[in-house]
Amino acid sequence: MFLWIKAFHLISMVAWFAGLFYLPRLFVYHVDTSDAAGRARFQVMERRLYTQITWPAGVTTTLLGFWLLSFQPMFYLSQGWMQLKLGGIWLLWAFHLRCGYIYHHFDRLKYSARYYRMMNEFPTLLLIAIVLLAVVR
């Protein structure tokens, strides 16, 4: 049972990160688009990605992660690597919510395409840290 939960935890984590990698990229394209039809198309893409892929995958990843922790909570929570990994997950959720804020207020925010390109690197750094902490320990 543990391995099945772990497998689906990893699958949902991949989907969550895919959404968090692609959403800032859509913001880049959106901010560079000047025609109304293009802006409307990016709004639809951003909404679908954020609400139908990224949110469910993030919640599923987190719930399955807690389920995995529940098998040996005292052991896992006493480990430094797990504490750092959980800190990385908090940062990932903060990034996720920041993306949602940008999605909901895109027209009022005046960030440049360069800002969104730089923003796009943050989940990559978190992915590297979280995976290394979980695998290498």
Side-chain angles (χ1 to χ4, degrees):
M1 177 70 141
F2 181 83
L3 292 178
W4 281 99
I5 299 166
K6 191 175 189 178
F8 282 103
H9 174 69
L10 292 172
I11 291 165
S12 61
M13 184 223 36
V14 169
W16 190 19
F17 269 101
L20 293 178
F21 289 150
Y22 193 47
L23 194 55
R25 179 55 49 184
L26 287 176
F27 295 156
V28 170
Y29 300 146
H30 190 162
V31 78
D32 282 343
T33 301
S34 57
D35 63 293
R39 286 192 305 271
R41 181 175 47 253
F42 284 116
Q43 286 173 339
V44 169
M45 292 171 69
E46 291 158 2
R47 177 180 48 80
R48 287 182 178 163
L49 179 62
Y50 188 69
T51 61
Q52 297 174 14
I53 295 172
T54 308
W55 258 110
V59 169
T60 303
T61 301
T62 303
L63 291 176
L64 291 172
F66 282 130
W67 194 0
L68 290 169
L69 274 175
S70 75
F71 284 93
Q72 294 183 32
M74 298 308 289
F75 169 75
Y76 285 123
L77 293 175
S78 69
Q79 302 296 304
W81 66 268
M82 180 57 80
Q83 294 166 4
L84 288 171
K85 179 184 173 195
L86 291 172
I89 293 164
W90 278 109
L91 290 173
L92 189 63
W93 269 109
F95 180 80
H96 176 114
L97 295 173
R98 176 70 179 152
C99 286
Y101 179 84
I102 290 169
Y103 155 68
H104 287 293
H105 300 96
F106 192 86
D107 291 333
R108 291 190 296 171
L109 300 172
K110 300 300 175 196
Y111 295 120
S112 67
R114 185 172 192 275
Y115 173 85
Y116 293 123
R117 281 188 189 94
M118 290 174 46
M119 182 181 168
N120 193 224
E121 302 306 319
F122 189 69
T124 303
L125 298 174
L126 284 175
L127 175 67
I128 292 166
I130 290 168
V131 169
L132 287 176
L133 286 166
V135 174
V136 178
R137 300 180 188 190

